[in-house]
């Protein structure tokens, strides 16, 4: 192959390579940029921890964000499932497709912390409207001795995360949307 053809082919492959890599998501690191650190009360996940009556303003930037990380020790001791995990969100029984943001934690074993999120933004909800929110944590791999290897809702068989054995990781509550 002469130099002229080699140069043309090299430029062609370099261009195709750059084009192909532009479609692959880049590695994420650090704090997820979509979570406004000064507006954590606008996370629709919040009523799970503070009570169903927590008011959300329809005019503010509302979002749903939930993260999960299993440590190498939890996985080795069969306390938590290995990746993959999935969070499913439903509003009035309609599934909202969440995006996932992965953070690779620099510890032994390269643990991956995943955050699932959806940004609703202002005016998505109507004040006083009835919105039943349900979110579920799904796992695929065996854990806590269950031996199962298919997608299902996470159940805390040993009571490690909830304190009560056998509870499902499924939460459902009505949103309190105000002006």
């Amino acid at each position: 192959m002469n130099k002229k053809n080699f140069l043309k082919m090299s430029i062609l492959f370099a261009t195709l390579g750059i084009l192909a890599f532009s479609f692959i998501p880049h590695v994420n690191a650090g704090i997820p940029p979509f979570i406004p650190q000064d507006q954590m009360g606008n996370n629709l996940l919040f009523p799970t921890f503070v009570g169903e009556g927590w008011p959300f303003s329809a005019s503010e930037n509302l979002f749903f964000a939930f993260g999960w990380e299993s440590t190498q020790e939890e996985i080795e001791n069969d306390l938590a499932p290995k990746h993959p995990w999935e969070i499913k969100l439903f509003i009035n029984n309609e599934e909202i497709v969440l995006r996932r943001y992965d953070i690779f934690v620099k510890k032994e074993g390269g643990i991956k912390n995943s955050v699932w999120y959806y940004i609703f933004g202002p005016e998505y909800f109507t004040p006083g409207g009835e919105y039943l929110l349900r979110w579920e944590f799904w796992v695929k791999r065996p854990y806590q001795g269950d031996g199962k290897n298919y997608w299902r809702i996470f159940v805390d068989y040993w009571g490690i995360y909830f304190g009560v054995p056998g509870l499902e990781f499924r939460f459902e509550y009505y949103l309190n949307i105000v002006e």
Side-chain angles (χ1 to χ4, degrees):
M1 181 185 289
N2 62 28
K3 289 183 181 182
K4 190 174 185 179
N5 283 342
F6 177 77
L7 184 61
K8 285 180 183 178
M9 291 301 282
S10 297
I11 291 172
L12 176 66
F13 281 115
T15 304
L16 290 175
I18 291 170
L19 183 62
F21 283 120
S22 70
F23 291 109
I24 299 172
H26 63 281
V27 175
N28 299 315
I31 297 171
F34 53 84
I35 298 179
Q37 298 301 308
D38 59 339
Q39 297 177 6
M40 287 308 293
N42 290 350
N43 187 350
L44 299 179
L45 174 75
F46 215 51
T48 304
F49 303 105
V50 298
E52 197 170 307
W54 182 267
F56 293 104
S57 173
S59 62
E60 291 193 27
N61 190 25
L62 300 177
F63 62 93
F64 175 90
F66 177 81
W68 185 267
E69 173 187 339
S70 291
T71 65
Q72 195 66 36
E73 182 182 5
E74 287 175 317
I75 292 171
E76 288 171 1
N77 292 320
D78 197 30
L79 305 176
K82 295 178 184 173
H83 205 272
W85 314 296
E86 188 69 40
I87 299 295
K88 294 187 178 191
L89 175 66
F90 302 88
I91 295 183
N92 294 340
N93 289 323
E94 181 181 327
E95 185 169 5
I96 306 294
V97 178
L98 300 174
R99 298 189 67 186
R100 191 177 81 205
Y101 184 89
D102 291 330
I103 303 167
F104 292 92
V105 180
K106 294 184 180 183
K107 295 180 188 174
E108 287 184 30
I111 301 298
K112 181 169 35 174
N113 179 3
S114 296
V115 177
W116 292 265
Y117 70 96
Y118 188 88
I119 299 172
F120 294 97
E123 311 304 330
Y124 182 92
F125 297 101
T126 303
E130 189 168 290
Y131 299 100
L132 178 64
L133 184 139
R134 182 178 81 240
W135 62 276
E136 305 165 341
F137 179 47
W138 286 67
V139 296
K140 185 174 182 181
R141 308 256 190 244
Y143 67 96
Q144 295 182 4
D146 72 358
K148 300 173 184 173
N149 197 21
Y150 56 85
W151 284 104
R152 68 223 182 263
I153 294 178
F154 179 85
V155 176
D156 187 9
Y157 297 112
W158 297 347
I160 295 167
Y161 299 98
F162 299 120
V164 178
L167 291 179
E168 283 188 339
F169 213 114
R170 176 191 318 222
F171 298 91
E172 187 173 280
Y173 46 88
Y174 284 96
L175 295 177
N176 181 13
I177 305 294
V178 298
E179 292 275 338

